[in-house]
């Protein structure tokens, strides 16, 4: 109950600034919201709880058996079905208990604890996946909003220049060709904005799927620390899961190996006879393992083979995680270089071209079409730059949030 109240409090704290309009939604707040409402994370916690409950019973002895019955009851002759006439007839009640050695119980407990640890990794993997998917959706929505600002600006410029062309045409200082060209340009700018609004709407719906509420105002994403290759591989969800699979299989093999020593069952019973002395019986049952090499040893070998399988899968997972890290770091490096080169070789000259076209127009040495083309080219370069920056941010998000973070609440 206290845990539920704490989650509600965290959720309310994260939502309050957004609803109150005090501040835009940040990436960190969006991730916290997503984790709090994630059904995958809840399923992971339930899995840990289930395994923990089973682990508490793993080292317990089996339940004792209550035994009751009648021995040597006559079924023929004059005393048939009488429990008091024949001296051999005896009413018996007893109890038996299968006994597991301390070594066996310790092996079973270790196996159950390994299952709990593996479920814990699965739960943390669900949290990490939720945080990563939320970050990717957040970045798509944020950069769509930034791109919409650019297309809206271009739409505003197109409208201004169209009105100016109409005024010039009315005063006979402009041409009809110029006015028609700017009419088409204005329509294109409006369509560009409509297209970006459509993309933004889809991105906001994708983000709402994680955070549970509409988020129109998003804060810029701050730089996140990126892990080293060793840290990335060590905390990769698949690698961690395979490591615990090895432990589970190894512990299971130890349990199977312990079954080579049979479990003894102790029994004590009390028999009551009519007219004769009562009887007490003490006994022990010992399973006879007539072919352990064909049964118990086979099960142990099967469990050890599973451990070998998990080790091979772990090595493959490490290779895949290493390749994934190197591909992402290569992408981030190439995107940084492209952004720097594009900013210097394309964006800056486009800005200078707009400034020159504006100055020429104001001094009556340029026309509206030239100014519009310069402004359009500048906005197009800024949109391309935003696309590169978005791709870089998403690659960095995968590097930062794909590994299982230490100390993250499940």
């Amino acid at each position: 109950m206290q845990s539920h109240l704490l989650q509600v409090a965290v959720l309310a704290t994260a939502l309050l600034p957004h609803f109150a309009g005090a501040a835009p939604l940040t990436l960190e707040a969006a991730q916290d919201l997503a984790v709090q409402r994630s059904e995958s994370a809840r399923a992971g916690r339930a899995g840990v709880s289930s395994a923990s409950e089973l682990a508490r019973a793993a080292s317990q002895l089996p339940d004792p058996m209550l035994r009751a019955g009648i021995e040597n009851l006559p079924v023929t002759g004059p005393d048939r079905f009488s429990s008091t006439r024949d001296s051999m007839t005896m009413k018996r009640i007893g109890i038996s208990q299968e006994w597991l050695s301390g070594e066996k119980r310790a092996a079973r407990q270790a196996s159950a604890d390994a299952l709990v640890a593996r479920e814990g990794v699965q739960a943390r993997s669900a949290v990490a996946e939720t945080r990563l998917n939320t970050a990717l959706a957040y970045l798509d929505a944020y950069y769509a909003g930034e791109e919409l600002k650019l297309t809206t600006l271009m739409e505003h410029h197109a409208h201004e220049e169209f009105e100016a062309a109409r005024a010039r045409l009315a005063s006979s200082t402009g041409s009809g060709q110029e006015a028609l060209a700017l009419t088409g340009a204005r329509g294109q700018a409006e369509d560009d904005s409509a297209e970006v609004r459509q993309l933004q709407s889809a991105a906001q719906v994708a983000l709402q799927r994680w955070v549970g509420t509409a988020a129109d105002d998003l804060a810029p994403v701050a730089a996140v620390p990126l892990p080293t290759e060793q840290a990335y591989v060590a905390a990769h969800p698949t690698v961690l899961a395979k490591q615990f699979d090895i432990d589970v299989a190894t512990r299971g093999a130890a349990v199977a190996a312990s079954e080579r020593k049979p479990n003894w069952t102790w029994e004590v019973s009390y028999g009551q006879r009519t007219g004769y002395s009562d009887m007490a019986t003490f006994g022990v049952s010992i399973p006879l393992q007539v072919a352990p090499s064909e049964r118990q040893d086979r099960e142990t070998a099967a469990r050890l083979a599973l451990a070998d399988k998990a080790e091979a899968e772990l090595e493959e997972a490490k290779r895949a995680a290493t390749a994934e890290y190197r591909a992402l770091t290569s992408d981030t490096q190439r995107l940084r270089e492209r952004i720097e080169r594009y900013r210097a070789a394309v964006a800056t000259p486009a800005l200078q071209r707009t400034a020159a076209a504006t100055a020429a127009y104001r001094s009556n040495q340029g026309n509206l079409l030239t100014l519009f083309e310069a402004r359009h080219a500048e906005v197009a370069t800024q949109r391309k730059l935003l696309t590169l920056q978005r791709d870089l941010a998403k690659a960095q998000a995968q590097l930062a949030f794909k590994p299982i973070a230490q100390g993250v609440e499940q």
Side-chain angles (χ1 to χ4, degrees):
M1 182 63 179
Q2 291 180 349
S3 176
H4 177 70
L5 291 176
L6 180 60
Q7 292 179 2
V8 172
V10 171
L11 187 64
T13 302
L15 282 172
L16 184 58
H18 177 60
F19 286 150
L25 181 67
T26 64
L27 174 59
E28 293 76 10
Q31 289 177 317
D32 290 341
L33 287 171
V35 171
Q36 291 298 327
R37 67 186 302 273
S38 170
E39 293 299 321
S40 297
R42 186 168 74 92
R45 292 191 294 268
V48 174
S49 177
S50 174
S52 299
E53 293 297 330
L54 291 175
R56 295 178 62 181
S59 62
Q60 302 298 314
L61 289 173
D63 292 332
M65 297 285 291
L66 177 66
R67 301 181 181 274
I70 299 178
E71 294 184 1
N72 302 319
L73 178 69
V75 294
T76 62
D79 295 336
R80 63 182 181 276
F81 304 121
S82 174
S83 62
T84 59
R85 295 178 185 175
D86 194 298
S87 63
M88 293 185 65
T89 302
M90 180 172 59
K91 301 171 183 175
R92 179 177 58 83
I93 186 169
I95 191 168
S96 65
Q97 173 67 63
E98 182 182 6
W99 181 260
L100 274 68
S101 66
E103 179 184 355
K104 280 190 175 183
R105 283 184 283 170
R108 293 186 180 188
Q109 183 66 62
S111 179
D113 290 340
L115 288 172
V116 173
R118 185 175 65 178
E119 287 295 332
V121 169
Q122 297 294 340
R124 292 166 59 199
S125 296
V127 172
E129 183 178 3
T130 299
R131 292 175 63 84
L132 173 59
N133 288 330
T134 303
L136 296 178
Y138 185 98
L139 290 170
D140 282 337
Y142 172 76
Y143 280 99
E146 294 300 300
E147 187 175 5
L148 181 60
K149 293 178 182 178
L150 291 175
T151 58
T152 302
L153 177 63
M154 191 64 238
E155 188 178 350
H156 176 70
H157 287 163
H159 180 74
E160 283 186 341
E161 286 149 7
F162 170 74
E163 293 298 330
R166 287 182 59 186
R168 284 163 56 87
L169 183 62
S171 63
S172 301
T173 59
S175 66
Q177 182 180 3
E178 181 184 61
L180 288 173
L182 289 174
T183 300
R186 185 180 68 167
Q188 183 62 50
E190 292 173 349
D191 185 67
D192 287 345
S193 293
E195 180 183 9
V196 175
R197 285 190 185 94
Q198 180 180 348
L199 296 175
Q200 183 191 36
S201 177
Q204 288 176 338
V205 169
L207 178 59
Q208 186 174 356
R209 174 255 184 273
W210 294 104
V211 302
T213 182
D216 298 326
D217 192 9
L218 303 178
V221 180
V224 293
L226 302 180
T228 62
E229 179 178 315
Q230 182 179 2
Y232 182 90
V233 173
H236 195 280
T238 305
V239 171
L240 282 177
K242 295 303 178 183
Q243 287 176 341
F244 281 91
D245 284 344
I246 294 175
D247 194 32
V248 168
T250 303
R251 300 294 184 182
V255 172
S258 70
E259 294 300 325
R260 223 177 187 280
K261 297 179 181 179
N263 300 331
W264 293 21
T265 300
W266 304 93
E267 181 179 1
V268 58
S269 62
Y270 184 86
Q272 184 184 52
R273 299 191 298 172
T274 303
Y276 295 90
S277 300
D278 294 343
M279 300 289 187
T281 302
F282 303 92
V284 60
S285 300
I286 305 175
L288 298 178
Q289 298 181 349
V290 295
S293 62
E294 296 299 324
R295 296 186 61 186
Q296 287 80 10
D297 291 352
R298 296 285 184 180
E299 184 176 354
T300 302
R303 297 297 182 90
L304 290 174
L306 289 177
D308 187 54
K309 174 187 176 183
E311 289 177 356
E313 290 176 343
L314 172 62
E315 292 305 315
E316 284 295 332
K318 287 182 177 179
R319 294 176 185 178
T322 300
E324 184 178 82
Y325 177 86
R326 292 175 180 176
L328 288 171
T329 52
S330 176
D331 286 346
T332 57
Q333 179 62 31
R334 299 296 180 270
L335 285 167
R336 286 195 188 97
E337 293 173 355
R338 289 181 63 190
I339 289 172
E340 292 176 1
R341 184 168 56 248
Y342 192 84
R343 182 179 284 119
V346 182
T348 300
L351 181 63
Q352 294 171 346
R353 176 188 173 187
T354 301
T358 303
Y361 177 73
R362 289 175 178 174
S363 61
N364 292 324
Q365 296 179 357
N367 55 45
L368 279 174
L369 282 177
T370 302
L371 176 60
F372 175 80
E373 290 171 356
R375 285 178 169 178
H376 184 272
E378 180 186 354
V379 170
T381 59
Q382 291 299 323
R383 290 179 65 183
K384 178 64 178 295
L385 189 60
L386 272 180
T387 300
L388 294 174
Q389 291 171 338
R390 181 201 62 195
D391 293 344
L392 174 60
K394 293 179 73 172
Q396 291 175 331
Q398 292 184 71
L399 283 171
F401 301 118
K402 184 65 175 288
I404 297 178
Q406 297 296 326
V408 174
E409 182 184 357
Q410 297 177 0

